[in-house]
Amino acid sequence: EAGVAQSPRYKIIEKRQSVAFWCNPISGHATLYWYQQILGQGPKLLIQFQNNGVVDDSQLPKDRFSAERLKGVDSTLKIQPAKLEDSAVYLCASSLADSSTYEQYFGPGTRLTVT
Amino acid sequence: AQSVSQHNHHVILSEAASLELGCNYSYGGTVNLFWYVQYPGQHLQLLLKYFSGDPLVKGIKGFEAEFIKSKFSFNLRKPSVQWSDTAEYFCAVNNGNTGKLIFGQGTTLQVKP
């Protein structure tokens, strides 16, 4: 079974530029999560999708971050404009359903450096 | 708000030493508890989980964890570590309603051969 795919793996941009990350979840997984992991901290949920609907985006900085999951499969996360403090690893995870007992499978992450 | 605290940020052990990593959470309701591991250069993966029942849960690679409700704790243990256990370990909880995970800050374990 293929895992969660993410691209790009690394990205370096200057502040005020825009950037987009892509995630392809495990086939059949209805729930998709985007987490932000700043160096030295644990991952923090940015947004959770159930199929193509948003379940939780309470910690997404909506003035600069946006995410979509068209057709309920792939998802993109965008930052525009980027700030220095956005430097982090952006993790995508998926699970079978929006249930607290379902295991989340994580992708390799995209390491973003904002200079 | 829910939070998770991991007591040790960086642990260094010799092979065959015993391991215990502390994890405490703050939430008064039903919780599900997890330990995730990230080996160097690899993805985050599930080590073990607790939903209900026996508070002593066993995971992969000889790890176990004990849920102590009265102490809001879910400590990870392994009787004898190996060099291959070198990794970063994350404790996480969710509130039993949705899948949203709250992670601790992680503990880096370095095992010396």
Side-chain angles (χ1 to χ4, degrees):
Chain A
E1 174 181 81
V4 176
Q6 289 188 247
S7 67
R9 293 293 310 276
Y10 304 91
K11 189 74 177 179
I12 301 174
I13 62 172
E14 295 181 351
K15 59 184 180 183
R16 291 188 288 274
Q17 286 186 321
S18 63
V19 64
F21 312 128
W22 173 81
C23 173
N24 180 239
I26 292 173
S27 177
H29 281 195
T31 306
L32 185 147
Y33 309 82
W34 282 103
Y35 290 86
Q36 179 193 56
Q37 185 178 11
I38 293 172
L39 187 65
Q41 300 180 20
K44 181 187 79 173
L45 182 73
L46 292 175
I47 189 167
Q48 176 184 345
F49 292 94
Q50 173 76 7
N51 295 309
N52 60 351
V54 175
V55 174
D56 185 343
D57 63 357
S58 57
Q59 297 196 81
L60 186 73
K62 299 180 186 64
D63 58 333
R64 298 184 300 105
F65 285 64
S66 64
E68 60 183 10
R69 192 183 183 197
L70 300 176
K71 302 180 182 178
V73 181
D74 293 6
S75 177
T76 56
L77 176 69
K78 296 179 182 177
I79 308 175
Q80 182 180 11
K83 293 185 175 182
L84 295 177
E85 59 260 36
D86 298 331
S87 293
V89 176
Y90 291 84
L91 297 168
C92 180
S94 69
S95 67
L96 278 171
D98 177 21
S99 167
S100 61
T101 60
Y102 282 107
E103 178 178 349
Q104 293 182 29
Y105 294 82
F106 285 82
T110 296
R111 183 177 298 276
L112 173 67
T113 302
V114 182
T115 62
Chain B
Q2 287 180 290
S3 67
V4 177
S5 176
Q6 293 182 236
H7 313 305
N8 319 96
H9 296 294
H10 198 158
V11 174
I12 302 173
L13 295 173
S14 298
E15 275 195 312
S18 64
L19 170 71
E20 181 159 3
L21 300 182
C23 172
N24 286 90
Y25 65 93
S26 65
Y27 185 70
T30 301
V31 292
N32 297 315
L33 298 146
F34 307 80
W35 276 96
Y36 279 82
V37 61
Q38 187 167 26
Y39 297 103
Q42 296 189 26
H43 308 181
L44 265 174
Q45 58 185 282
L46 184 66
L47 199 54
L48 49 77
K49 59 188 177 185
Y50 171 79
F51 296 150
S52 63
D54 188 344
L56 184 63
V57 292
K58 296 190 185 298
I60 60 173
K61 303 187 180 185
F63 286 90
E64 65 178 30
E66 184 175 13
F67 171 51
I68 303 179
K69 188 174 182 179
S70 60
K71 295 184 178 181
F72 297 89
S73 70
F74 190 55
N75 292 352
L76 181 71
R77 300 195 292 250
K78 186 171 184 179
S80 176
V81 294
Q82 300 174 313
W83 176 79
S84 58
D85 294 324
T86 294
E88 190 155 18
Y89 293 81
F90 293 94
C91 181
V93 303
N94 65 31
N95 65 10
N97 292 324
T98 74
K100 173 182 177 179
L101 289 172
I102 307 296
F103 284 87
Q105 67 268 48
T107 297
T108 302
L109 172 65
Q110 182 182 352
V111 180
K112 297 187 292 185

